[in-house]
Amino acid sequence: MGNFQARTDLALEARESISEAESELRGVRVEESYHKEEDVRVTKVMIDTRNAAKIMGKPMGIYVTMEAPALVEPDEDYHREISACLAGELKELLPESEGEQSILVVGLGNREVTADALGPRAVDNLQVTRHIVREYGAAAYNCEKMNQVSALEPGVMAKTGMETAEIVKGVVGETSPDVIIVIDALAARSTRRLNRTIQITNTGIQPGSGVGNHRNALTKESLGVPVVAIGIPTVVDAATIVCDALEKLLEGEEDLDVVKYMSRQQPGFPELYNMYMTGKDIDAVIKRISFTVSEGINMALGCSSL
Amino acid sequence: MGNFQARTDLALEARESISEAESELRGVRVEESYHKEEDVRVTKVMIDTRNAAKIMGKPMGIYVTMEAPALVEPDEDYHREISACLAGELKELLPESEGEQSILVVGLGNREVTADALGPRAVDNLQVTRHIVREYGAAAYNCEKMNQVSALEPGVMAKTGMETAEIVKGVVGETSPDVIIVIDALAARSTRRLNRTIQITNTGIQPGSGVGNHRNALTKESLGVPVVAIGIPTVVDAATIVCDALEKLLEGEEDLDVVKYMSRQQPGFPELYNMYMTGKDIDAVIKRISFTVSEGINMALGCSSL
Amino acid sequence: MGNFQARTDLALEARESISEAESELRGVRVEESYHKEEDVRVTKVMIDTRNAAKIMGKPMGIYVTMEAPALVEPDEDYHREISACLAGELKELLPESEGEQSILVVGLGNREVTADALGPRAVDNLQVTRHIVREYGAAAYNCEKMNQVSALEPGVMAKTGMETAEIVKGVVGETSPDVIIVIDALAARSTRRLNRTIQITNTGIQPGSGVGNHRNALTKESLGVPVVAIGIPTVVDAATIVCDALEKLLEGEEDLDVVKYMSRQQPGFPELYNMYMTGKDIDAVIKRISFTVSEGINMALGCSSL
Amino acid sequence: MGNFQARTDLALEARESISEAESELRGVRVEESYHKEEDVRVTKVMIDTRNAAKIMGKPMGIYVTMEAPALVEPDEDYHREISACLAGELKELLPESEGEQSILVVGLGNREVTADALGPRAVDNLQVTRHIVREYGAAAYNCEKMNQVSALEPGVMAKTGMETAEIVKGVVGETSPDVIIVIDALAARSTRRLNRTIQITNTGIQPGSGVGNHRNALTKESLGVPVVAIGIPTVVDAATIVCDALEKLLEGEEDLDVVKYMSRQQPGFPELYNMYMTGKDIDAVIKRISFTVSEGINMALGCSSL
């Protein structure tokens, strides 16, 4: 019913929102596992064909989703375990390498908007090593080998006047990293997944709805090196949540276009498309999960892990 | 229909949401005026009786609402005009005085959550004079008389472990101001009023739904001195907006309780009560309007205005 | 020589700067110990008499100084050990109690000036429990007993127009804590102690040079409850360092007043009294040591420690 | 006497510190003017020859110094006048152009260290237009022509692992601006010039002492487009101030090397080279002067000025 395209950045939700018939399509493989001790459920969605990518509205590649209910709890020990989990999954998606690598970590988003500050805040706690390794070698860290980690907070277009992709592309061209890790706050379709789900994908970032080589994409195609993206949904699109509620309510009235209907009923409704919804304790949440993410990256890239 | 109590901090919206019959009730007077040059519409709602207060869900007192559509525009000159308007309305609600007064300005809210940072950020730009006037006299400002302005950012309970009212009451007890001005971000019922409406009231702040002398109130009753509150709606309650949409949709089905209905349909629906909705450019908005508010207060309290 | 009163907040330095003859004075006892594993040297200076207080320029009481060279290192594990050390020393200075206590932690200083942000930033990472314990009891923390910890960042007079002591006194009067812990950045006389020394004292805070019941003091006398102060020197007074250098240089020229001399030679010299000197990496230092301090307090006040 | 090379970023101070005989050297021209109304003294030092550059320790080019004593005053009106002055001087150093230009403004420094935050904070208040002009044309600003202004805050190497010059070079390569404006906090030799002097130069930025095409330079040679630098001294090098004091004191003792002497006398003295000295009200100062600078740039680049 309806023709409203719910907005979600999660492959897991994209899969749930397509009909069962479609979900059995060739080209989408799903693997699930459960880490009992940490209470983390890991789902790996692999989109293998162009056709599958089109139906899912997501580019071909691997999407690992870690569902960790306790990510919202303030228990520090627990977060360390999730960081370790994240480090493990991240290393599987990073390109293999025997020696030292140069990795650029990019924290996307707007530091001044709490719910969008995940990327910049995660970058704050990163162990940045590139300048030290280049000056003094891995020995400075008492390691035989040490990755060269650099970090970038490109900011948002409203503040820089530049596309994020322009800034990243320029810095990549000048510093030639072997691989890029991008961190970003995501939008989920459901409040259930907010702040407790981590998605890791080797497809990079495709602003907007997905498939294709967009001008603003941060992908292997656009940047020339592999791009792994780590995202956590911290907001729900306001229009999405209202539409979801209404679709549930109107089930059966097949020919109703919810969006058009709402625009007639509520004059301000289209404004919802510039709004987002988030929790009232979002400051504490962002502080915690940004630390969990940066710790995970530090574990994955530190010298003990080479 | 339904029994959902829409949450709004605006007396203007409270009045709109009651039926016409009720709105003609005795004890509520309304005056409107329009400042053509600045395109500011001023509505003064006066709640004069206990009965009216009960129906409106707001304490007795005067509520001035300035609707300034251009408050969302980035034009600095325009903001100066709105600040001047605000200064004028504010001075009318402040207790009269011939001489110098001591005024404590309290910036409520959470600096770390962008949409809730109006109070703390407004306080940042305030012209604080108390310590100078007490040390050197009004002469330090080349004035004959100068108000003693002090400022407090009490923070939020999750960070302090204390009620805001405890902190304010303590500081008031120790520094004995003649009057208190409280600045806070409000919740509106409609996105239409977001970031472009200023409410000034001499009733202070009543956390929760309203009438009565709450433990956490910031009012003349609880603090012992007059309290004028300045508020701007920066968020819409997430549950409110969904319910409003549904009520519109279900008009006629008199016996449906929207909230219960939604809780059955959408398992995550009650979580909406801990969520808020706000615009994607909320950082730029807060930066601008907090400055407009502090400038208005500076104009109202500075020496030229005595 | 000279009559320049070097400014230091450290009892350890005060003792070093008086002559040996004076230091053997009655009324000052010194105990030293060394924690080999953590490489922490603990010196306990006890000023027992009024006369000793006068000579030392510090009020009577106990001053524990932890010298931890590795406090400047970015090793997290090491910081955890220093936090544990700090927790131990802190508990010895806190008043004994068998049951739950109510503790107000005050973060002094100016968040906007990096070298002065130790107090506010330490308070950011504190485990604040008062509101939870009062609402749900210690059970909310799976403890039998849990202290009620509250936190206050009073800000600086230039921003509030009020003395820090007025704000603290007001909040203490309203919330009646059993004990107060104050955190502040200190000035050292020597760069050698910068950022690697923690002073804990049961004398509270005496702004300015010391002995006496000042209007702005945060002490048991002024607040009515015991006050323990935790301080770390993060700056050196600019005038102090120049004068120290000159005194060394001019040793022997007994009748030279360095300050007057410098004022003649360098017209801008008196301006130095409004300046401070700090390290170029002060942002990283403050981030680390504020966390070490808050972790130490959390350990000392958490339920396992009751 | 001595061989200490005092560190200053100001051409004005460099000129003062060389002997009179040298200052009359060919290749250095000086023009002075005084704007009575705004009490701003403008000195233009033009270094025209390689030899002069070598003696001055500054690259060839034009250095405009605005000395505005009232820059330290909190009077907003006054700051607007200084911004206008700055806009005028800036436009004279920018390359001439009849049409729209694309200008990248780079805010150097560390936002987390107050005295070093001038660049990042100035960029916060910039009117960024590039993305709007490219999407909607100058008409979006009701102008016939509008410059395309973009802004970058590259951060510091300790946080990014990359040289500032690498980041700027990459972004320049990708976005091809016509000219670059760089804003930075400077070190002065004397406290007298702190926070009240603006230097504008068309030589860009040369980290370290000066002449030559350094790897980390931000100059026309290294970036391929003209670079105008705006700097305000906010700190004094700690070693510089001590050495200056001592040199004054020791005048006549020709053969004394102050630095070596001090290193013997004060074991911690070499540490001074990693320290800086700044005023206690540096937060208020940076807030004000960063706004003055960004307003000046906005005036110089806005549509009325084309």
Side-chain angles (χ1 to χ4, degrees):
Chain A
M1 61 151 281
N3 61 3
F4 173 69
Q5 175 83 36
R7 188 179 162 233
T8 175
D9 292 324
L10 293 177
L12 202 64
E13 290 189 335
R15 188 171 154 269
E16 286 168 359
S17 71
I18 60 179
S19 75
E20 278 183 45
E22 287 171 320
S23 109
E24 279 166 21
L25 55 91
R26 294 212 191 146
V28 178
R29 283 176 299 146
V30 178
E31 284 173 20
E32 295 190 6
S33 62
Y34 178 60
H35 300 238
K36 197 173 175 184
E37 209 171 323
E38 302 94 342
D39 187 19
V40 175
R41 184 171 301 280
V42 177
T43 309
K44 195 182 271 189
V45 176
M46 288 154 287
I47 304 181
D48 294 338
T49 66
R50 278 177 196 281
N51 192 39
K54 204 175 160 192
I55 291 170
M56 292 282 285
K58 301 271 165 211
M60 285 163 53
I62 303 176
Y63 300 83
V64 175
T65 311
M66 293 171 50
E67 289 176 275
L71 196 52
V72 294
E73 304 295 334
D75 184 335
E76 273 182 40
D77 291 329
Y78 187 83
H79 281 250
R80 210 164 294 138
E81 288 174 10
I82 301 180
S83 293
C85 257
L86 169 58
E89 300 294 341
L90 179 57
K91 282 165 78 172
E92 286 202 15
L93 288 191
L94 288 173
E96 270 183 65
S97 155
E98 283 182 26
E100 299 173 349
Q101 284 192 301
S102 173
I103 298 121
L104 173 63
V105 183
V106 179
L108 296 181
N110 185 348
R111 182 184 291 276
E112 303 293 319
V113 174
T114 317
D116 197 25
L118 174 68
R121 303 270 311 245
V123 154
D124 283 347
N125 286 307
L126 218 59
Q127 196 188 5
V128 169
T129 61
R130 180 176 177 267
H131 57 308
I132 305 286
V133 174
R134 283 161 68 103
E135 186 88 21
Y136 307 103
Y141 295 99
N142 293 322
C143 301
E144 269 186 56
K145 293 173 182 178
M146 184 68 184
N147 288 316
Q148 292 183 22
V149 181
S150 54
L152 183 69
E153 179 190 342
V156 290
M157 194 164 64
K159 292 252 189 82
T160 65
M162 300 179 279
E163 298 281 356
T164 300
E166 291 180 298
I167 297 174
V168 175
K169 202 180 278 186
V171 172
V172 167
E174 198 65 31
T175 62
S176 305
D178 299 315
V179 58
I180 297 167
I181 295 175
V182 179
I183 309 166
D184 199 10
L186 305 180
R189 189 189 176 112
S190 154
T191 55
R192 256 187 320 132
R193 292 231 165 69
L194 237 41
N195 307 323
R196 67 198 73 183
T197 307
I198 305 177
Q199 175 173 277
I200 318 162
T201 171
N202 63 0
T203 60
I205 299 255
Q206 302 269 16
S209 61
V211 190
N213 189 354
H214 285 275
R215 180 174 52 123
N216 302 329
L218 298 176
T219 60
K220 187 173 181 180
E221 286 72 41
S222 68
L223 295 175
V225 285
V227 181
V228 173
I230 301 175
I232 298 184
T234 61
V235 300
V236 177
D237 213 57
T240 299
I241 214 163
V242 172
C243 289
D244 274 12
L246 288 174
E247 291 194 351
K248 268 270 167 53
L249 196 70
L250 300 174
E251 237 158 64
E253 307 189 28
E254 293 297 333
D255 52 347
L256 185 61
D257 179 326
V258 173
V259 176
K260 281 191 195 147
Y261 179 82
M262 282 308 296
S263 300
R264 275 198 309 271
Q265 299 288 319
Q266 294 270 89
F269 184 75
E271 288 176 21
L272 285 188
Y273 282 93
N274 282 318
M275 303 192 78
Y276 66 87
M277 203 179 291
T278 195
K280 280 170 184 168
D281 61 344
I282 186 67
D283 57 330
V285 166
I286 289 289
K287 187 175 177 182
R288 258 193 328 262
I289 64 179
S290 66
F291 191 74
T292 305
V293 168
S294 58
E295 276 301 286
I297 297 175
N298 287 340
M299 287 179 194
L301 305 184
C303 58
S304 60
S305 71
L306 278 173
Chain B
M1 61 154 283
N3 61 2
F4 173 70
Q5 174 84 36
R7 186 179 162 234
T8 176
D9 292 325
L10 292 177
L12 202 62
E13 289 189 336
R15 187 171 154 269
E16 285 167 359
S17 71
I18 60 180
S19 75
E20 277 183 46
E22 287 172 320
S23 109
E24 280 166 22
L25 54 91
R26 294 212 192 146
V28 178
R29 282 177 300 145
V30 178
E31 284 173 20
E32 295 189 7
S33 61
Y34 178 61
H35 301 237
K36 196 174 176 185
E37 209 172 324
E38 303 94 344
D39 186 21
V40 174
R41 185 172 301 279
V42 177
T43 309
K44 196 181 272 188
V45 177
M46 286 153 287
I47 304 181
D48 294 337
T49 65
R50 278 176 197 280
N51 192 39
K54 204 174 161 192
I55 291 171
M56 293 281 285
K58 301 271 164 210
M60 284 165 52
I62 302 176
Y63 300 82
V64 176
T65 311
M66 293 169 50
E67 290 176 275
L71 196 52
V72 295
E73 304 295 335
D75 184 334
E76 273 182 40
D77 291 329
Y78 188 81
H79 281 249
R80 209 163 296 138
E81 287 174 11
I82 301 180
S83 293
C85 257
L86 169 58
E89 301 294 340
L90 179 57
K91 282 165 76 173
E92 286 203 14
L93 288 192
L94 288 172
E96 270 182 66
S97 155
E98 281 182 28
E100 298 174 349
Q101 284 192 300
S102 173
I103 299 121
L104 172 63
V105 183
V106 180
L108 297 181
N110 185 348
R111 182 185 289 278
E112 303 293 319
V113 173
T114 316
D116 197 26
L118 174 68
R121 302 267 314 243
V123 154
D124 283 347
N125 286 307
L126 218 59
Q127 197 187 6
V128 169
T129 61
R130 180 177 178 265
H131 57 307
I132 304 286
V133 173
R134 282 161 69 102
E135 185 88 21
Y136 306 103
Y141 295 98
N142 293 320
C143 299
E144 269 185 55
K145 295 174 181 178
M146 184 68 184
N147 288 315
Q148 293 184 20
V149 181
S150 54
L152 182 69
E153 179 189 343
V156 290
M157 195 165 62
K159 293 252 188 83
T160 64
M162 300 179 279
E163 299 282 357
T164 299
E166 290 179 299
I167 298 173
V168 175
K169 204 180 278 185
V171 171
V172 167
E174 197 65 29
T175 63
S176 306
D178 299 314
V179 57
I180 296 168
I181 296 175
V182 180
I183 310 166
D184 199 10
L186 306 180
R189 187 187 178 114
S190 154
T191 55
R192 255 187 322 134
R193 291 231 167 69
L194 237 41
N195 308 322
R196 69 198 72 182
T197 306
I198 305 176
Q199 176 174 277
I200 317 162
T201 170
N202 63 358
T203 61
I205 298 257
Q206 303 268 14
S209 61
V211 190
N213 189 356
H214 287 275
R215 178 174 54 123
N216 302 328
L218 299 176
T219 59
K220 187 173 181 180
E221 287 71 42
S222 68
L223 296 174
V225 285
V227 181
V228 173
I230 301 175
I232 297 183
T234 61
V235 301
V236 177
D237 213 57
T240 299
I241 215 163
V242 173
C243 289
D244 275 12
L246 289 174
E247 292 194 352
K248 268 273 167 50
L249 195 70
L250 301 173
E251 237 158 65
E253 307 187 29
E254 292 297 332
D255 53 349
L256 184 62
D257 179 327
V258 173
V259 177
K260 281 191 196 147
Y261 179 83
M262 282 308 296
S263 300
R264 275 197 308 270
Q265 299 288 320
Q266 294 270 85
F269 183 76
E271 289 177 19
L272 285 188
Y273 281 92
N274 281 320
M275 303 192 76
Y276 66 87
M277 202 179 293
T278 194
K280 280 170 185 168
D281 61 343
I282 187 67
D283 58 330
V285 166
I286 289 291
K287 186 174 177 183
R288 258 195 327 264
I289 64 179
S290 65
F291 191 74
T292 305
V293 168
S294 58
E295 277 300 287
I297 298 175
N298 287 340
M299 287 179 195
L301 305 183
C303 59
S304 60
S305 70
L306 279 172
Chain C
M1 61 151 282
N3 61 2
F4 173 69
Q5 174 83 36
R7 188 181 161 233
T8 175
D9 292 324
L10 293 176
L12 203 64
E13 290 189 335
R15 187 171 154 270
E16 286 168 359
S17 71
I18 59 180
S19 75
E20 279 182 46
E22 287 172 322
S23 108
E24 280 167 21
L25 54 91
R26 293 214 191 143
V28 177
R29 283 177 300 146
V30 178
E31 285 174 19
E32 294 190 8
S33 61
Y34 178 59
H35 301 238
K36 196 173 177 184
E37 209 172 324
E38 303 93 342
D39 186 20
V40 175
R41 184 172 302 280
V42 177
T43 310
K44 196 181 272 188
V45 176
M46 287 153 287
I47 304 181
D48 295 338
T49 65
R50 279 177 196 280
N51 191 39
K54 203 174 161 192
I55 291 170
M56 292 281 284
K58 301 270 165 212
M60 284 164 54
I62 303 176
Y63 300 83
V64 176
T65 310
M66 294 170 50
E67 289 175 275
L71 196 52
V72 294
E73 304 295 334
D75 184 335
E76 273 182 41
D77 291 329
Y78 187 83
H79 281 250
R80 211 164 295 140
E81 288 175 11
I82 301 180
S83 293
C85 257
L86 169 58
E89 301 294 342
L90 180 57
K91 283 165 77 173
E92 286 203 13
L93 288 192
L94 287 173
E96 269 183 66
S97 155
E98 283 182 28
E100 299 173 348
Q101 283 193 300
S102 174
I103 299 123
L104 172 63
V105 183
V106 180
L108 296 181
N110 185 349
R111 181 185 291 277
E112 304 292 319
V113 173
T114 316
D116 197 25
L118 173 69
R121 303 266 314 242
V123 154
D124 283 345
N125 286 307
L126 219 59
Q127 196 186 5
V128 169
T129 61
R130 180 176 178 267
H131 57 307
I132 305 286
V133 173
R134 283 162 68 103
E135 185 88 21
Y136 307 103
Y141 295 98
N142 294 321
C143 301
E144 269 186 56
K145 292 175 182 176
M146 184 68 186
N147 288 316
Q148 292 183 21
V149 181
S150 54
L152 181 70
E153 179 189 343
V156 289
M157 193 164 65
K159 293 251 189 83
T160 65
M162 299 179 280
E163 298 281 357
T164 300
E166 290 179 300
I167 297 174
V168 175
K169 203 180 277 186
V171 171
V172 167
E174 198 65 31
T175 63
S176 305
D178 299 315
V179 58
I180 296 168
I181 296 175
V182 180
I183 310 167
D184 200 10
L186 305 180
R189 189 188 177 113
S190 154
T191 55
R192 256 187 321 131
R193 291 231 167 69
L194 236 42
N195 308 321
R196 68 198 73 182
T197 307
I198 305 177
Q199 175 173 277
I200 317 162
T201 170
N202 63 359
T203 59
I205 298 257
Q206 301 268 17
S209 60
V211 190
N213 188 354
H214 285 275
R215 179 174 54 122
N216 302 329
L218 300 177
T219 59
K220 187 172 180 179
E221 287 71 41
S222 68
L223 296 174
V225 285
V227 181
V228 173
I230 302 175
I232 297 184
T234 62
V235 301
V236 177
D237 213 56
T240 299
I241 213 163
V242 173
C243 289
D244 275 11
L246 289 174
E247 292 194 350
K248 268 272 167 52
L249 196 70
L250 300 173
E251 238 158 63
E253 306 188 28
E254 291 298 332
D255 52 348
L256 184 61
D257 179 327
V258 173
V259 176
K260 280 191 195 147
Y261 180 83
M262 282 308 297
S263 300
R264 274 198 309 272
Q265 299 288 319
Q266 294 270 87
F269 184 76
E271 289 176 21
L272 285 188
Y273 282 92
N274 282 319
M275 304 192 77
Y276 66 88
M277 203 180 292
T278 194
K280 280 170 184 168
D281 61 344
I282 186 68
D283 57 331
V285 165
I286 289 290
K287 187 175 177 182
R288 259 195 327 264
I289 64 179
S290 66
F291 191 74
T292 305
V293 168
S294 58
E295 277 300 286
I297 298 175
N298 287 340
M299 287 179 194
L301 304 183
C303 58
S304 61
S305 72
L306 279 172
Chain D
M1 62 154 280
N3 61 1
F4 172 70
Q5 174 84 34
R7 187 180 161 234
T8 176
D9 292 324
L10 293 176
L12 202 64
E13 289 189 335
R15 187 170 155 270
E16 285 167 0
S17 71
I18 60 180
S19 75
E20 277 183 47
E22 287 172 321
S23 107
E24 280 167 21
L25 55 90
R26 293 213 193 146
V28 177
R29 283 176 299 147
V30 177
E31 285 173 20
E32 295 190 7
S33 61
Y34 178 60
H35 301 237
K36 196 173 176 186
E37 209 172 324
E38 303 94 344
D39 187 20
V40 175
R41 184 172 303 279
V42 177
T43 309
K44 196 181 272 188
V45 176
M46 287 154 287
I47 305 181
D48 294 338
T49 65
R50 278 177 196 280
N51 192 39
K54 204 174 160 191
I55 292 170
M56 292 281 286
K58 300 271 166 211
M60 285 164 52
I62 302 175
Y63 300 82
V64 176
T65 311
M66 293 170 51
E67 289 176 276
L71 196 52
V72 295
E73 303 296 334
D75 184 334
E76 272 181 42
D77 291 328
Y78 187 82
H79 281 249
R80 209 164 296 140
E81 287 175 11
I82 301 180
S83 293
C85 257
L86 169 58
E89 301 294 340
L90 179 57
K91 282 166 77 173
E92 286 202 14
L93 288 192
L94 288 173
E96 270 183 65
S97 155
E98 281 183 27
E100 299 173 348
Q101 283 192 301
S102 173
I103 299 122
L104 172 62
V105 183
V106 180
L108 296 181
N110 185 348
R111 183 184 290 276
E112 303 294 318
V113 173
T114 316
D116 197 25
L118 173 68
R121 302 268 313 243
V123 154
D124 283 347
N125 286 307
L126 218 59
Q127 196 187 7
V128 169
T129 61
R130 180 177 178 266
H131 57 308
I132 305 286
V133 173
R134 282 161 68 103
E135 185 89 19
Y136 306 103
Y141 294 99
N142 293 320
C143 299
E144 271 186 53
K145 294 173 182 178
M146 184 69 184
N147 288 315
Q148 293 183 20
V149 181
S150 54
L152 182 69
E153 180 190 342
V156 290
M157 195 164 63
K159 292 251 188 84
T160 65
M162 300 179 279
E163 299 280 357
T164 299
E166 290 179 300
I167 297 174
V168 176
K169 204 181 277 185
V171 171
V172 167
E174 197 65 29
T175 63
S176 306
D178 300 314
V179 58
I180 297 167
I181 296 175
V182 179
I183 310 166
D184 200 10
L186 305 180
R189 188 185 178 117
S190 154
T191 55
R192 255 188 321 132
R193 291 231 166 68
L194 237 40
N195 309 321
R196 68 197 74 181
T197 306
I198 305 177
Q199 176 173 277
I200 317 162
T201 171
N202 63 359
T203 61
I205 298 256
Q206 303 268 15
S209 60
V211 190
N213 188 355
H214 286 276
R215 179 173 55 122
N216 302 328
L218 299 176
T219 60
K220 188 173 181 180
E221 287 70 41
S222 68
L223 296 173
V225 285
V227 182
V228 173
I230 301 175
I232 297 183
T234 62
V235 301
V236 177
D237 213 57
T240 299
I241 215 163
V242 173
C243 288
D244 274 12
L246 288 174
E247 292 194 351
K248 268 274 169 51
L249 196 69
L250 301 173
E251 238 159 65
E253 307 188 28
E254 292 298 331
D255 52 348
L256 184 62
D257 179 327
V258 173
V259 177
K260 280 191 197 149
Y261 178 84
M262 281 309 296
S263 300
R264 274 197 310 271
Q265 299 289 319
Q266 294 270 86
F269 183 75
E271 289 177 20
L272 284 188
Y273 282 93
N274 282 318
M275 303 193 76
Y276 65 88
M277 202 179 294
T278 195
K280 280 169 185 169
D281 61 344
I282 187 67
D283 58 331
V285 165
I286 289 290
K287 186 176 177 182
R288 257 193 329 263
I289 65 178
S290 65
F291 190 75
T292 304
V293 168
S294 58
E295 276 301 285
I297 298 175
N298 287 340
M299 286 179 194
L301 305 183
C303 59
S304 61
S305 71
L306 280 172

